[in-house]
Amino acid sequence: MATGGSTKGTTVVWGDYGLRMRDHDRRVSATQLQIGADTIKKRLRGERYKLFTRVSANIGVYTSGNEVRMGKGKGSFDYWAVRLPVSRIIFEIKGELHEQIVKDAFRLAAAKMPGLYEFVKKGDPPVMGITKVTESISLAEMKKPTVPLPREATAARLPATTA
């Protein structure tokens, strides 16, 4: 799981509205993703829209039975899953829909999936971790070290060069 200063996948790209994970790293199964998508489709039945799924379940989860001793193999395939880092967009919707209707559809889908989610619109600022990157807080400021090293201590550690 990638950690650190990444804003990749935290903004709405293709649609007008999105569902973003607020919780820290989760493993969501393909079945749970499908249930979320089906819930959105059921709520928006009859409307004109396009649903984009920004993540895909590409990790196989293998399990072995209870009371199986250590070292007896990997186990059998159980289900497909996806690891979701914090603040990743999962679903996007594009279409001529009222914002409140889309909010309600995403609320219903989020209730059926593990973790906490938030509703975002196109043009919302990117997020690093759980902090929104805005004009007052830039990406460079967030990546700076919190405790600056004194120049003398840094210079003393470097090997001396003779020229």
Side-chain angles (χ1 to χ4, degrees):
M1 176 81 47
T3 60
S6 176
T7 59
K8 178 183 167 191
T10 63
T11 57
V12 177
V13 177
W14 300 313
D16 301 322
Y17 306 105
L19 183 68
R20 177 165 54 198
M21 174 169 255
R22 255 188 350 179
D23 210 357
H24 279 278
D25 311 322
R26 291 279 177 159
R27 185 164 76 180
V28 179
S29 71
T31 308
Q32 290 167 331
L33 277 177
Q34 188 62 44
I35 287 171
D38 290 345
T39 304
I40 293 169
K41 289 175 187 172
K42 185 182 273 189
R43 175 63 182 90
L44 299 178
R45 184 170 288 148
E47 304 283 344
R48 295 180 53 128
Y49 68 94
K50 176 95 171 121
L51 179 68
F52 299 99
T53 304
R54 293 272 305 265
V55 295
S56 65
N58 57 357
I59 297 168
V61 177
Y62 294 81
T63 57
S64 43
N66 292 339
E67 300 180 10
V68 175
R69 294 188 178 191
M70 297 286 284
K72 298 298 177 194
K74 186 173 183 176
S76 59
F77 176 80
D78 199 13
Y79 60 92
W80 290 102
V82 59
R83 288 193 190 112
L84 289 176
V86 63
S87 301
R88 181 62 55 99
I89 298 279
I90 298 171
F91 295 117
E92 289 187 22
I93 284 188
K94 182 181 184 89
E96 298 173 10
L97 299 166
H98 193 274
E99 181 179 333
Q100 201 60 39
I101 294 173
V102 177
K103 245 185 208 182
D104 187 46
F106 281 156
R107 180 189 58 81
L108 292 171
K112 297 191 179 210
M113 294 171 51
L116 301 172
Y117 298 90
E118 68 180 336
F119 177 80
V120 291
K121 295 187 258 188
K122 191 174 192 89
D124 282 358
V127 177
M128 181 188 296
I130 55 172
T131 308
K132 289 186 168 74
V133 179
T134 60
E135 291 82 25
S136 61
I137 302 172
S138 69
L139 196 60
E141 278 182 33
M142 291 179 72
K143 288 189 175 185
K144 281 195 302 193
T146 55
V147 180
L149 291 174
R151 288 183 186 242
E152 300 81 34
T154 307
R157 284 185 285 159
L158 297 175
T161 57
T162 55

PDB file of all heavy atoms in Angstrom, residues 94-113:
ATOM      1  N   LYS A  94     -21.716  10.947 -14.129  1.00  0.00           N
ATOM      2  CA  LYS A  94     -21.849  12.068 -15.054  1.00  0.00           C
ATOM      3  C   LYS A  94     -23.245  11.990 -15.652  1.00  0.00           C
ATOM      4  O   LYS A  94     -23.700  10.920 -16.031  1.00  0.00           O
ATOM      5  CB  LYS A  94     -20.798  11.962 -16.157  1.00  0.00           C
ATOM      6  CG  LYS A  94     -20.829  13.100 -17.134  1.00  0.00           C
ATOM      7  CD  LYS A  94     -19.763  12.894 -18.195  1.00  0.00           C
ATOM      8  CE  LYS A  94     -19.716  14.072 -19.113  1.00  0.00           C
ATOM      9  NZ  LYS A  94     -18.815  15.101 -18.672  1.00  0.00           N
ATOM     10  N   GLY A  95     -23.918  13.128 -15.690  1.00  0.00           N
ATOM     11  CA  GLY A  95     -25.252  13.150 -16.275  1.00  0.00           C
ATOM     12  C   GLY A  95     -26.025  14.364 -15.810  1.00  0.00           C
ATOM     13  O   GLY A  95     -25.545  15.155 -15.010  1.00  0.00           O
ATOM     14  N   GLU A  96     -27.227  14.498 -16.342  1.00  0.00           N
ATOM     15  CA  GLU A  96     -28.081  15.617 -15.969  1.00  0.00           C
ATOM     16  C   GLU A  96     -28.924  15.225 -14.764  1.00  0.00           C
ATOM     17  O   GLU A  96     -30.114  14.926 -14.891  1.00  0.00           O
ATOM     18  CB  GLU A  96     -28.949  16.015 -17.157  1.00  0.00           C
ATOM     19  CG  GLU A  96     -28.130  16.477 -18.339  1.00  0.00           C
ATOM     20  CD  GLU A  96     -28.973  16.719 -19.562  1.00  0.00           C
ATOM     21  OE1 GLU A  96     -30.217  16.708 -19.445  1.00  0.00           O
ATOM     22  OE2 GLU A  96     -28.384  16.917 -20.626  1.00  0.00           O
ATOM     23  N   LEU A  97     -28.280  15.204 -13.594  1.00  0.00           N
ATOM     24  CA  LEU A  97     -28.927  14.791 -12.357  1.00  0.00           C
ATOM     25  C   LEU A  97     -28.870  15.919 -11.344  1.00  0.00           C
ATOM     26  O   LEU A  97     -27.921  16.702 -11.334  1.00  0.00           O
ATOM     27  CB  LEU A  97     -28.221  13.569 -11.763  1.00  0.00           C
ATOM     28  CG  LEU A  97     -28.192  12.311 -12.620  1.00  0.00           C
ATOM     29  CD1 LEU A  97     -27.197  11.327 -12.074  1.00  0.00           C
ATOM     30  CD2 LEU A  97     -29.567  11.699 -12.649  1.00  0.00           C
ATOM     31  N   HIS A  98     -29.867  15.971 -10.507  1.00  0.00           N
ATOM     32  CA  HIS A  98     -29.854  16.937  -9.410  1.00  0.00           C
ATOM     33  C   HIS A  98     -28.861  16.456  -8.359  1.00  0.00           C
ATOM     34  O   HIS A  98     -28.746  15.258  -8.082  1.00  0.00           O
ATOM     35  CB  HIS A  98     -31.252  17.077  -8.815  1.00  0.00           C
ATOM     36  CG  HIS A  98     -31.383  18.263  -7.918  1.00  0.00           C
ATOM     37  ND1 HIS A  98     -31.039  18.213  -6.590  1.00  0.00           N
ATOM     38  CD2 HIS A  98     -31.795  19.527  -8.172  1.00  0.00           C
ATOM     39  CE1 HIS A  98     -31.240  19.397  -6.049  1.00  0.00           C
ATOM     40  NE2 HIS A  98     -31.702  20.221  -6.992  1.00  0.00           N
ATOM     41  N   GLU A  99     -28.138  17.402  -7.771  1.00  0.00           N
ATOM     42  CA  GLU A  99     -27.089  17.056  -6.802  1.00  0.00           C
ATOM     43  C   GLU A  99     -27.635  16.271  -5.617  1.00  0.00           C
ATOM     44  O   GLU A  99     -27.000  15.330  -5.134  1.00  0.00           O
ATOM     45  CB  GLU A  99     -26.412  18.340  -6.318  1.00  0.00           C
ATOM     46  CG  GLU A  99     -25.308  18.102  -5.333  1.00  0.00           C
ATOM     47  CD  GLU A  99     -24.650  19.392  -4.887  1.00  0.00           C
ATOM     48  OE1 GLU A  99     -24.658  20.378  -5.642  1.00  0.00           O
ATOM     49  OE2 GLU A  99     -24.133  19.394  -3.762  1.00  0.00           O
ATOM     50  N   GLN A 100     -28.810  16.623  -5.143  1.00  0.00           N
ATOM     51  CA  GLN A 100     -29.373  15.967  -3.961  1.00  0.00           C
ATOM     52  C   GLN A 100     -29.727  14.501  -4.243  1.00  0.00           C
ATOM     53  O   GLN A 100     -29.575  13.651  -3.372  1.00  0.00           O
ATOM     54  CB  GLN A 100     -30.617  16.736  -3.484  1.00  0.00           C
ATOM     55  CG  GLN A 100     -30.973  16.477  -2.048  1.00  0.00           C
ATOM     56  CD  GLN A 100     -29.858  16.872  -1.092  1.00  0.00           C
ATOM     57  OE1 GLN A 100     -29.202  17.876  -1.272  1.00  0.00           O
ATOM     58  NE2 GLN A 100     -29.638  16.048  -0.087  1.00  0.00           N
ATOM     59  N   ILE A 101     -30.153  14.204  -5.455  1.00  0.00           N
ATOM     60  CA  ILE A 101     -30.467  12.827  -5.828  1.00  0.00           C
ATOM     61  C   ILE A 101     -29.197  11.986  -5.857  1.00  0.00           C
ATOM     62  O   ILE A 101     -29.165  10.853  -5.363  1.00  0.00           O
ATOM     63  CB  ILE A 101     -31.194  12.783  -7.191  1.00  0.00           C
ATOM     64  CG1 ILE A 101     -32.551  13.454  -7.072  1.00  0.00           C
ATOM     65  CG2 ILE A 101     -31.342  11.359  -7.690  1.00  0.00           C
ATOM     66  CD1 ILE A 101     -33.275  13.625  -8.379  1.00  0.00           C
ATOM     67  N   VAL A 102     -28.124  12.544  -6.419  1.00  0.00           N
ATOM     68  CA  VAL A 102     -26.843  11.826  -6.466  1.00  0.00           C
ATOM     69  C   VAL A 102     -26.291  11.641  -5.051  1.00  0.00           C
ATOM     70  O   VAL A 102     -25.768  10.573  -4.711  1.00  0.00           O
ATOM     71  CB  VAL A 102     -25.832  12.579  -7.354  1.00  0.00           C
ATOM     72  CG1 VAL A 102     -24.494  11.891  -7.360  1.00  0.00           C
ATOM     73  CG2 VAL A 102     -26.355  12.708  -8.771  1.00  0.00           C
ATOM     74  N   LYS A 103     -26.423  12.660  -4.215  1.00  0.00           N
ATOM     75  CA  LYS A 103     -25.978  12.557  -2.819  1.00  0.00           C
ATOM     76  C   LYS A 103     -26.692  11.410  -2.109  1.00  0.00           C
ATOM     77  O   LYS A 103     -26.078  10.647  -1.365  1.00  0.00           O
ATOM     78  CB  LYS A 103     -26.277  13.874  -2.084  1.00  0.00           C
ATOM     79  CG  LYS A 103     -25.079  14.611  -1.628  1.00  0.00           C
ATOM     80  CD  LYS A 103     -25.506  15.811  -0.811  1.00  0.00           C
ATOM     81  CE  LYS A 103     -24.448  16.860  -0.942  1.00  0.00           C
ATOM     82  NZ  LYS A 103     -24.686  18.048  -0.179  1.00  0.00           N
ATOM     83  N   ASP A 104     -27.989  11.308  -2.343  1.00  0.00           N
ATOM     84  CA  ASP A 104     -28.761  10.256  -1.703  1.00  0.00           C
ATOM     85  C   ASP A 104     -28.335   8.875  -2.211  1.00  0.00           C
ATOM     86  O   ASP A 104     -28.217   7.930  -1.432  1.00  0.00           O
ATOM     87  CB  ASP A 104     -30.258  10.485  -1.965  1.00  0.00           C
ATOM     88  CG  ASP A 104     -31.120   9.524  -1.189  1.00  0.00           C
ATOM     89  OD1 ASP A 104     -30.858   9.328   0.015  1.00  0.00           O
ATOM     90  OD2 ASP A 104     -32.052   8.959  -1.793  1.00  0.00           O
ATOM     91  N   ALA A 105     -28.075   8.747  -3.513  1.00  0.00           N
ATOM     92  CA  ALA A 105     -27.633   7.468  -4.077  1.00  0.00           C
ATOM     93  C   ALA A 105     -26.274   7.063  -3.502  1.00  0.00           C
ATOM     94  O   ALA A 105     -26.060   5.898  -3.144  1.00  0.00           O
ATOM     95  CB  ALA A 105     -27.555   7.571  -5.594  1.00  0.00           C
ATOM     96  N   PHE A 106     -25.348   8.022  -3.385  1.00  0.00           N
ATOM     97  CA  PHE A 106     -24.036   7.722  -2.818  1.00  0.00           C
ATOM     98  C   PHE A 106     -24.142   7.402  -1.326  1.00  0.00           C
ATOM     99  O   PHE A 106     -23.398   6.572  -0.812  1.00  0.00           O
ATOM    100  CB  PHE A 106     -23.077   8.883  -3.040  1.00  0.00           C
ATOM    101  CG  PHE A 106     -22.503   8.934  -4.430  1.00  0.00           C
ATOM    102  CD1 PHE A 106     -22.044  10.134  -4.949  1.00  0.00           C
ATOM    103  CD2 PHE A 106     -22.404   7.809  -5.213  1.00  0.00           C
ATOM    104  CE1 PHE A 106     -21.494  10.192  -6.219  1.00  0.00           C
ATOM    105  CE2 PHE A 106     -21.868   7.848  -6.488  1.00  0.00           C
ATOM    106  CZ  PHE A 106     -21.406   9.048  -6.988  1.00  0.00           C
ATOM    107  N   ARG A 107     -25.071   8.053  -0.622  1.00  0.00           N
ATOM    108  CA  ARG A 107     -25.263   7.764   0.804  1.00  0.00           C
ATOM    109  C   ARG A 107     -25.731   6.329   0.996  1.00  0.00           C
ATOM    110  O   ARG A 107     -25.245   5.613   1.876  1.00  0.00           O
ATOM    111  CB  ARG A 107     -26.287   8.734   1.396  1.00  0.00           C
ATOM    112  CG  ARG A 107     -26.565   8.519   2.880  1.00  0.00           C
ATOM    113  CD  ARG A 107     -27.732   9.367   3.348  1.00  0.00           C
ATOM    114  NE  ARG A 107     -28.963   9.121   2.619  1.00  0.00           N
ATOM    115  CZ  ARG A 107     -29.796   8.105   2.856  1.00  0.00           C
ATOM    116  NH1 ARG A 107     -29.524   7.235   3.798  1.00  0.00           N
ATOM    117  NH2 ARG A 107     -30.894   7.970   2.149  1.00  0.00           N
ATOM    118  N   LEU A 108     -26.664   5.886   0.152  1.00  0.00           N
ATOM    119  CA  LEU A 108     -27.156   4.513   0.242  1.00  0.00           C
ATOM    120  C   LEU A 108     -26.056   3.505  -0.082  1.00  0.00           C
ATOM    121  O   LEU A 108     -25.936   2.463   0.574  1.00  0.00           O
ATOM    122  CB  LEU A 108     -28.341   4.323  -0.713  1.00  0.00           C
ATOM    123  CG  LEU A 108     -29.615   5.078  -0.360  1.00  0.00           C
ATOM    124  CD1 LEU A 108     -30.611   4.975  -1.497  1.00  0.00           C
ATOM    125  CD2 LEU A 108     -30.200   4.554   0.923  1.00  0.00           C
ATOM    126  N   ALA A 109     -25.237   3.814  -1.094  1.00  0.00           N
ATOM    127  CA  ALA A 109     -24.147   2.902  -1.462  1.00  0.00           C
ATOM    128  C   ALA A 109     -23.092   2.843  -0.366  1.00  0.00           C
ATOM    129  O   ALA A 109     -22.564   1.771  -0.059  1.00  0.00           O
ATOM    130  CB  ALA A 109     -23.515   3.352  -2.779  1.00  0.00           C
ATOM    131  N   ALA A 110     -22.779   3.989   0.246  1.00  0.00           N
ATOM    132  CA  ALA A 110     -21.760   4.032   1.295  1.00  0.00           C
ATOM    133  C   ALA A 110     -22.203   3.258   2.524  1.00  0.00           C
ATOM    134  O   ALA A 110     -21.364   2.691   3.238  1.00  0.00           O
ATOM    135  CB  ALA A 110     -21.451   5.479   1.668  1.00  0.00           C
ATOM    136  N   ALA A 111     -23.504   3.206   2.769  1.00  0.00           N
ATOM    137  CA  ALA A 111     -24.014   2.475   3.921  1.00  0.00           C
ATOM    138  C   ALA A 111     -23.834   0.968   3.750  1.00  0.00           C
ATOM    139  O   ALA A 111     -23.778   0.239   4.735  1.00  0.00           O
ATOM    140  CB  ALA A 111     -25.482   2.800   4.143  1.00  0.00           C
ATOM    141  N   LYS A 112     -23.720   0.501   2.516  1.00  0.00           N
ATOM    142  CA  LYS A 112     -23.589  -0.933   2.264  1.00  0.00           C
ATOM    143  C   LYS A 112     -22.144  -1.365   2.067  1.00  0.00           C
ATOM    144  O   LYS A 112     -21.890  -2.548   1.841  1.00  0.00           O
ATOM    145  CB  LYS A 112     -24.404  -1.305   1.028  1.00  0.00           C
ATOM    146  CG  LYS A 112     -25.865  -1.050   1.237  1.00  0.00           C
ATOM    147  CD  LYS A 112     -26.697  -1.646   0.162  1.00  0.00           C
ATOM    148  CE  LYS A 112     -28.144  -1.346   0.470  1.00  0.00           C
ATOM    149  NZ  LYS A 112     -29.033  -2.342  -0.008  1.00  0.00           N
ATOM    150  N   MET A 113     -21.198  -0.429   2.131  1.00  0.00           N
ATOM    151  CA  MET A 113     -19.784  -0.757   1.938  1.00  0.00           C
ATOM    152  C   MET A 113     -19.003  -0.473   3.217  1.00  0.00           C
ATOM    153  O   MET A 113     -19.411   0.362   4.016  1.00  0.00           O
ATOM    154  CB  MET A 113     -19.234   0.058   0.765  1.00  0.00           C
ATOM    155  CG  MET A 113     -19.853  -0.325  -0.552  1.00  0.00           C
ATOM    156  SD  MET A 113     -19.433   0.745  -1.913  1.00  0.00           S
ATOM    157  CE  MET A 113     -17.704   0.822  -1.829  1.00  0.00           C
TER     158      MET A 113
END
